[in-house]
Amino acid sequence: RTRMRLRSGVFASSCLLVQALGVALFLRGFFPVPVRSVPRREARADPPAEPAPPGPGMVSNWTKIPPPLFKKVVIVLIDALRDDFVFGPKGKQFMPYTTQVVEKGTSYSFIAEAKPPTVTMPRIKALMTGSIPGFIDVVVNLNSPALLDDNLIWQAKTAGKRIIFYGDDTWVKLFPKHFVEYDGTTSFFVSDFTEVDDNVTRHLDRVLKREDWDLLILHYLGLDHIGHMTGPNSPLVGPKLREMDNILKKIHISLLSKVEEVSLPNLLVVCGDHGMSETGSHGGSSEGEVHTPLLFISSAFGKRSAPAAQPEHVQQTDLASTLAIGLGLPISRNSVGNLILPVVEGKTMREQLRFVHLNGFQLSRLLQENTPAYEKDPGYEHFKIAEKSHGNWIKLYLEGNNSEILLNLGKKVLKQYLEALKTLSSSLSKQVAQYDMYSMMVGTVIIMEVLILLLLSVPKALSKRAEFEVPLSPPLFSLLFYLMCLTLCAVHVIVCTSAESLCYFCSMSWLTAVGVIMLISALMCGILSAVANILENYRLPLKNPVPSSYSWSEIDVLILAGTIGHVLSLGASSFIEEEHQTWYFLINTLCLVLCQELCRNNFLLKECDPQHCTNVKQNFNSIGESSECKNIDIPAASNSKLGKATSSSEFIKGSDKWISLATPWIILICCRLLRSLNQTGVQWAHRPDFGHWLTSSEHKSELSFLAAVSLLMIFFLVQRRCSLVSKIAMSLGLLGVYSYRAAIGNVTFPWQHGGKDISKGITEARFVYVFVLGIVFTGTKDLLKSQVISADSSMKSTGLWEVYSGLVLLAALLFRPHNLPVLVFCLLIQTMMTKYIWIPLKFDAAQITIMHYWFGQAFFYFQGNSNGIATVDISAGFVGLDSYVEIPAIFLTAFATYAGPFLWAIHLLCYLSSEVSRNSAAVGHGCFCYALMRSIPVAIYVVLVTGLRYHLFIWSVFSPKLLYEGVHVFITAAVCLCFTAMDQNHSYKVQE
């Protein structure tokens, strides 16, 4: 038989790539592109007539859609406008005109609640369609295709209304060819506060004088950008709110001046699409992010005698149906919103009842299209009762009864309708989560199979040779393989022909689907063959039986317990929100265990008598030989773990010994300092932290000093292993990083006084990019030389360290200045652990890999990241770009977000490749363990999320975490490919 030998690294990389495919399929099923009831062109059905009064031959004569209530409507959407910016102390201080209109004018004010994800595009969809967009819209947010759902803009255009739009170009992409005039500004260039808004305002005077429009939409982005860059308490927020106040004043006065000329009043709507968190970003579900003001200002409303109490809460989706009624349009088919009644309170009772009936009819029809047992729904029952009462009211009305009875009955019917609307709305909002279970199941099966295969391969993958023999033509499994393929194909056909809802896996081409089915069958056969192998080895008597004297060290126990504990914690929403606490706890515990190991190594083993040591060592070596059959991770170093006694005295001399003992404590101090730099998670995220203190405008000099010191430290910690050219490039690059931050106004040079004009720092950033590319290119050149021309390990090691230092420079450029200490401590801990822990204690490659993985995870949170979308620092994607370019922006944002795990992984690769004393299998072991550490949490989490898919916090807590896990798998797969590329003699065939 022909067998192929496969290295651990190659095996692990291929497993992760397959797993990435499974994760992609699972995500596609979990975040379905929402399936809607009716395509838009069928949505213009005739409106329902008024409910028929009881009695023979009586019909209502009102069958058309009610006429519009307002002539012109202006919608001013201020991105990231929090409710306290209008209703709180900031509003009173910076928005005096708006506050006066709210308290004393002809207006109605509400607090609109947005559903997470609080990102611009899904929120615009919610405002205009009245439906709740799926979570996947966060991802699509970066590239918004046209909106095909029935929506307010389309209805207005179809009714012949002329719409003008200025502002965020997301609208232009969502509603192409809907506006008679528009001017879009790009929303992703977050370092621009003024130009984005001036581009909108410059059209205002001209448009307000004209009469040739019915609907004007203005979307202002400046406030959102200020939030992203400097947070909600920044000194820039006040002037921006004042600017918005003046714009609202101008529009309001202009609309009021036209009231005398026309019969119908005009309406001004002021709203936000989402709020902002305490750090200034958005995407999550904290109160600051979901609460936005919603103001209706019109001369049609009565003037207030006393200032209103606290504004009432409404849903953001209610705006679509309210505006549809106001403009005399049909309500969008997929809207789950309720009419905001105060807006139409000035109308007659018959009109008010007609409006709520239209709204109720639309909601009940949507319920019918989405729920088989809709008649039993309490909302539907309430609506039918209200409709009956409405018919009775119309009978009285048509008989000409104008008494008090008619008014009271009308109020009662209105109340019944509002109850029905509320119930219908809430049951429809729950309907939104339509999961594509079949695609999710297929994805889960692939992910779980890969995990089982990895776990079964541990003994072989971590053996001394770190390779497998894979039979290329196993006779038994070929038959099994075909049988499985046929069975799965049959299942696929049955599922796809009987599925009622749309399914992504069914909509794939047959070729792709069969490919995936063959992959699943092949993985299954692989698992069975591995199990058969293990059983066969188990039956064979050992050639030389050994006493089982291998005991688990404390480190091994901690690693196992930590991994299991972390995976189990993913089933609880609070543990996901506060996951950073889990990692901080694990690395602190790891430091304490390392401290114990060091003490034992330095003090106890010296008293150990030489003869005992030799015995233990012989025992250990004999286990090493038999390890092919036992799940033992043999140390990759040639002398074994328990042979430390002989070598520890040579290693640790005098002063080094004490530094070595102090190392775990120094690391603990570093971690404690890092924890106070960025508060993350949910529970304590609002607490002041050192990062907030540094970024406030009055501490700019302290921030500048810290940034300068950090950049110097980074240089000293990184340059040790680089060539002279790279050292010079590195120093110039770090200088460029500081000047970039000075140019955009984060830090200052000592000689800089007064307000220097703030630029976008494009030149400075590109200057740094040149050096990053230069250093990475030099490193890659050395690597290729060492791989292709001569197998020179020192050149390979230098090449790797240079690539690593280039990535550190890139991270320094993308990190916010107050986060530079994170990078310093990262490099410091790596240096100390290498010199004083891993080398003296002779840990094997697997243990070192897992320590790297843990520290990488902890540094992900030290950066200020969390499991919520809101903490992704979008501004990193625009460093050095003067416009939005998709691929670089995505790459830079991903790199800045995952810099912690990524730098630790690359450091692991450098360390394992440059350690001369390790055998050649070390890199393979490292790669395998890294893949396994990533595979375990993903596989378990996917199962947990499937089980918890109807959990209350599924969209606010579990879904963002799922996206993070998914992206992390793709990044880990890329890292493992780097490992594989560095691991030589990949595979070769042997004839048996």
Side-chain angles (χ1 to χ4, degrees):
R1 282 186 301 165
T2 313
R3 286 174 173 267
M4 181 174 73
R5 288 208 176 148
L6 201 61
R7 308 271 302 182
S8 303
V10 182
F11 175 71
S13 301
S14 6
C15 279
L16 263 186
L17 287 172
V18 173
Q19 194 167 41
L21 170 82
V23 168
L25 193 57
F26 181 86
L27 288 174
R28 185 62 181 69
F30 188 81
F31 297 120
V33 177
V35 180
R36 289 286 178 245
S37 50
V38 199
R40 200 164 60 183
R41 50 181 181 279
E42 296 166 27
R44 287 196 74 82
D46 286 331
E50 267 185 317
M58 290 191 79
V59 282
S60 161
N61 52 1
W62 193 1
T63 54
K64 293 208 167 27
I65 288 241
L69 312 177
F70 303 103
K71 182 168 192 310
K72 284 185 181 342
V73 175
V74 181
I75 300 174
V76 181
L77 194 153
I78 301 169
D79 213 290
L81 186 68
R82 268 194 349 189
D83 59 335
D84 60 332
F85 286 175
V86 175
F87 304 128
K90 274 202 175 81
K92 287 192 170 55
Q93 188 182 350
F94 298 115
M95 302 188 78
Y97 186 80
T98 312
T99 306
Q100 187 195 337
V101 171
V102 165
E103 288 181 352
K104 301 198 176 73
T106 54
S107 70
Y108 288 108
S109 43
F110 303 94
I111 290 176
E113 287 183 34
K115 289 265 187 292
T118 44
V119 188
T120 299
M121 190 196 70
R123 304 289 35 99
I124 295 175
K125 283 188 178 178
L127 287 164
M128 290 299 114
T129 61
S131 59
I132 300 169
F135 205 88
I136 197 64
D137 284 317
V138 175
V139 187
V140 187
N141 189 39
L142 294 169
N143 181 21
S144 29
L147 179 62
L148 298 173
D149 278 6
D150 182 13
N151 62 73
L152 187 77
I153 303 286
W154 179 75
Q155 291 282 10
K157 181 180 181 259
T158 316
K161 300 211 179 280
R162 293 151 304 175
I163 313 167
I164 293 180
F165 171 76
Y166 302 115
D168 181 346
D169 62 0
T170 307
W171 287 76
V172 183
K173 292 178 194 161
L174 282 175
F175 308 107
K177 305 193 177 121
H178 284 63
F179 306 120
V180 291
E181 188 182 309
Y182 64 87
D183 181 12
T185 53
T186 177
S187 53
F188 291 113
F189 201 71
V190 289
S191 50
D192 172 14
F193 308 149
T194 45
E195 228 167 272
V196 276
D197 288 353
D198 295 345
N199 269 342
V200 178
T201 311
R202 67 194 169 119
H203 301 285
L204 257 187
D205 291 330
R206 186 170 48 81
V207 169
L208 289 172
K209 287 193 187 99
R210 283 164 30 193
E211 287 297 324
D212 61 348
W213 55 271
D214 303 294
L215 179 58
L216 170 64
I217 301 171
L218 309 169
H219 187 147
Y220 283 98
L221 284 162
L223 184 66
D224 179 57
H225 291 186
I226 288 172
H228 277 300
M229 294 302 275
T230 60
N233 302 317
S234 139
L236 298 169
V237 169
K240 180 53 76 182
L241 290 176
R242 196 171 280 121
E243 180 192 334
M244 295 293 110
D245 193 49
N246 290 331
I247 288 162
L248 293 174
K249 181 178 181 178
K250 178 190 284 185
I251 297 170
H252 187 211
I253 290 169
S254 162
L255 290 178
L256 283 177
S257 67
K258 295 200 169 115
V259 169
E260 285 75 40
E261 306 159 22
V262 291
S263 51
L264 282 176
N266 298 322
L267 173 68
L268 167 60
V269 179
V270 183
C271 58
D273 54 349
H274 51 75
M276 59 171 85
S277 64
E278 280 308 307
T279 54
S281 56
H282 54 88
S285 53
S286 71
E287 206 163 285
E289 289 164 88
V290 296
H291 285 172
T292 64
L294 173 61
L295 312 178
F296 294 92
I297 305 168
S298 169
S299 54
F301 308 145
K303 226 180 182 149
R304 285 229 174 76
S305 47
Q310 190 58 28
E312 201 183 319
H313 282 245
V314 295
Q315 290 302 316
Q316 200 178 39
T317 43
D318 297 346
L319 182 68
S321 33
T322 308
L323 281 179
I325 298 284
L327 286 163
L329 303 169
I331 297 173
S332 307
R333 280 295 281 264
N334 301 317
S335 164
V336 296
N338 294 342
L339 171 67
I340 299 172
L341 199 66
V343 178
V344 297
E345 255 175 3
K347 297 284 155 192
T348 64
M349 183 54 78
R350 186 179 185 191
E351 285 174 300
Q352 286 187 46
L353 289 173
R354 175 76 172 133
F355 297 148
V356 287
H357 175 245
L358 283 171
N359 194 184
F361 182 82
Q362 172 265 325
L363 288 173
S364 59
R365 186 172 56 185
L366 186 62
L367 187 76
Q368 285 173 38
E369 284 159 355
N370 282 298
T371 318
Y374 65 89
E375 276 139 340
K376 294 192 178 69
D377 187 274
Y380 188 79
E381 289 169 354
H382 287 166
F383 174 67
K384 283 298 168 201
I385 295 167
E387 214 173 24
K388 210 168 176 183
S389 317
H390 190 179
N392 293 331
W393 186 89
I394 288 171
K395 184 179 179 200
L396 281 176
Y397 177 82
L398 292 178
E399 286 166 358
N401 188 335
N402 274 337
S403 65
E404 193 75 13
I405 304 167
L406 189 70
L407 186 68
N408 288 339
L409 181 64
K411 282 181 179 162
K412 187 183 151 206
V413 177
L414 202 56
K415 203 170 173 189
Q416 283 180 333
Y417 267 134
L418 291 176
E419 278 300 305
L421 290 183
K422 215 178 207 151
T423 322
L424 277 167
S425 203
S426 72
S427 57
L428 278 164
S429 302
K430 290 191 188 92
Q431 291 273 320
V432 168
Q434 282 287 342
Y435 297 104
D436 170 2
M437 279 311 288
Y438 185 45
S439 306
M440 282 164 67
M441 295 316 287
V442 175
T444 310
V445 167
I446 295 176
I447 296 168
M448 290 310 288
E449 284 186 333
V450 170
L451 175 65
I452 294 167
L453 201 55
L454 281 169
L455 287 171
L456 290 173
S457 324
V458 168
K460 277 266 167 60
L462 295 181
S463 64
K464 272 189 175 164
R465 296 183 63 179
E467 61 189 22
F468 305 86
E469 287 194 350
V470 184
L472 286 181
S473 53
L476 167 70
F477 290 119
S478 51
L479 178 64
L480 183 66
F481 174 73
Y482 292 125
L483 276 174
M484 281 194 66
C485 281
L486 283 172
T487 317
L488 289 173
C489 283
V491 171
H492 182 66
V493 173
I494 293 166
V495 171
C496 291
T497 45
S498 62
E500 287 164 13
S501 57
L502 270 179
C503 160
Y504 176 67
F505 191 53
C506 291
S507 63
M508 282 180 168
S509 70
W510 257 103
L511 214 61
T512 325
V514 170
V516 173
I517 287 171
M518 285 170 74
L519 179 71
I520 293 176
S521 313
L523 285 169
M524 198 64 222
C525 292
I527 290 171
L528 292 172
S529 121
V531 171
N533 244 338
I534 288 172
L535 290 174
E536 201 178 319
N537 287 345
Y538 191 69
R539 280 206 208 97
L540 286 177
L542 292 179
K543 288 168 197 152
N544 46 349
V546 269
S548 57
S549 59
Y550 176 73
S551 61
W552 285 61
S553 68
E554 281 92 343
I555 293 272
D556 296 333
V557 174
L558 172 68
I559 283 172
L560 187 69
T563 305
I564 293 172
H566 166 249
V567 167
L568 292 178
S569 76
L570 295 176
S573 59
S574 311
F575 274 105
I576 291 178
E577 288 179 338
E578 307 295 319
E579 196 189 341
H580 57 284
Q581 305 283 11
T582 309
W583 289 112
Y584 296 168
F585 171 75
L586 286 178
I587 57 171
N588 290 349
T589 316
L590 178 67
C591 286
L592 293 173
V593 174
L594 288 173
C595 186
Q596 184 195 349
E597 286 276 311
L598 283 163
C599 290
R600 182 183 300 149
N601 198 38
N602 281 323
F603 300 122
L604 296 182
L605 283 181
K606 283 188 181 161
E607 291 137 31
C608 156
D609 61 306
Q611 196 190 346
H612 171 69
C613 284
T614 350
N615 285 349
V616 172
K617 189 168 177 181
Q618 280 165 356
N619 269 351
F620 202 84
N621 286 349
S622 60
I623 298 171
E625 286 149 28
S626 70
S627 76
E628 294 296 319
C629 317
K630 291 178 64 97
N631 178 357
I632 292 177
D633 183 13
I634 290 301
S638 51
N639 45 354
S640 64
K641 224 187 287 185
L642 291 173
K644 286 170 192 164
T646 46
S647 55
S648 61
S649 50
E650 304 154 26
F651 253 99
I652 301 188
K653 300 188 180 72
S655 63
D656 273 8
K657 171 172 138 181
W658 295 108
I659 299 178
S660 175
L661 285 171
T663 299
W665 299 101
I666 296 171
I667 294 171
L668 280 173
I669 293 167
C670 292
C671 292
R672 184 64 197 90
L673 291 171
L674 285 172
R675 284 183 73 159
S676 49
L677 186 65
N678 290 308
Q679 282 286 1
T680 182
V682 173
Q683 242 35 57
W684 316 111
H686 59 279
R687 296 279 290 277
D689 52 37
F690 192 51
H692 267 105
W693 184 85
L694 283 169
T695 44
S696 64
S697 51
E698 54 266 28
H699 300 129
K700 201 182 245 188
S701 49
E702 287 93 332
L703 179 63
S704 307
F705 177 70
L706 184 72
V709 172
S710 300
L711 291 169
L712 274 173
M713 295 271 295
I714 288 171
F715 177 70
F716 285 117
L717 288 166
V718 158
Q719 51 85 35
R720 296 168 304 124
R721 308 212 177 184
C722 299
S723 61
L724 182 64
V725 181
S726 297
K727 283 181 186 177
I728 297 167
M730 190 75 193
S731 54
L732 289 170
L734 291 168
L735 198 64
V737 171
Y738 192 86
S739 42
Y740 165 72
R741 288 294 165 187
I744 65 168
N746 293 143
V747 297
T748 52
F749 283 111
W751 56 85
Q752 217 174 290
H753 294 297
K756 177 184 165 283
D757 56 326
I758 294 175
S759 73
K760 289 178 189 168
I762 289 168
T763 324
E764 290 87 346
R766 287 182 179 170
F767 174 77
V768 181
Y769 283 139
V770 169
F771 288 114
V772 171
L773 291 171
I775 296 173
V776 171
F777 177 74
T778 319
T780 316
K781 189 188 74 199
D782 286 353
L783 281 177
L784 287 173
K785 245 189 213 164
S786 76
Q787 297 279 71
V788 181
I789 302 165
S790 60
D792 177 7
S793 60
S794 68
M795 184 180 274
K796 177 178 170 181
S797 155
T798 311
L800 277 169
W801 284 109
E802 283 185 338
V803 171
Y804 177 67
S805 58
L807 293 172
V808 169
L809 177 57
L810 179 60
L813 173 65
L814 299 180
F815 273 21
R816 301 268 176 115
H818 74 273
N819 256 348
L820 286 172
V822 178
L823 204 50
V824 175
F825 283 134
C826 172
L827 297 168
L828 184 68
I829 293 174
Q830 286 170 354
T831 312
M832 292 193 72
M833 289 193 83
T834 304
K835 195 167 177 198
Y836 298 113
I837 293 181
W838 293 324
I839 294 178
L841 288 184
K842 294 199 164 40
F843 283 122
D844 56 45
Q847 291 170 319
I848 291 178
T849 302
I850 293 169
M851 288 185 215
H852 271 86
Y853 178 79
W854 281 16
F855 271 99
Q857 288 297 90
F859 269 86
F860 176 77
Y861 295 103
F862 283 142
Q863 283 171 246
N865 287 321
S866 71
N867 285 326
I869 301 279
T871 47
V872 177
D873 179 12
I874 305 177
S875 62
F878 303 92
V879 173
L881 301 179
D882 46 10
S883 64
Y884 174 62
V885 194
E886 195 162 355
I887 305 296
I890 290 173
F891 168 75
L892 292 172
T893 309
F895 179 79
T897 308
Y898 286 94
F902 195 71
L903 288 176
W904 277 89
I906 301 294
H907 180 269
L908 172 69
L909 177 58
C910 297
Y911 174 73
L912 291 179
S913 303
S914 60
E915 270 291 278
V916 191
S917 62
R918 297 192 175 274
N919 72 9
S920 58
V923 177
H925 287 177
C927 182
F928 183 83
C929 288
Y930 206 76
L932 187 62
M933 287 304 288
R934 188 80 287 266
S935 192
I936 296 171
V938 164
I940 306 295
Y941 189 63
V942 156
V943 175
L944 286 172
V945 162
T946 309
L948 295 168
R949 63 188 183 280
Y950 296 115
H951 191 283
L952 181 63
F953 296 139
I954 187 72
W955 296 118
S956 53
V957 179
F958 293 101
S959 301
K961 171 69 178 163
L962 186 61
L963 285 177
Y964 274 114
E965 288 289 315
V967 175
H968 205 161
V969 169
F970 290 106
I971 288 176
T972 311
V975 169
C976 283
L977 287 173
C978 299
F979 271 81
T980 311
M982 290 299 101
D983 194 11
Q984 278 139 338
N985 5 323
H986 303 296
S987 57
Y988 44 92
K989 290 187 181 180
V990 279
Q991 289 298 116
E992 246 181 43

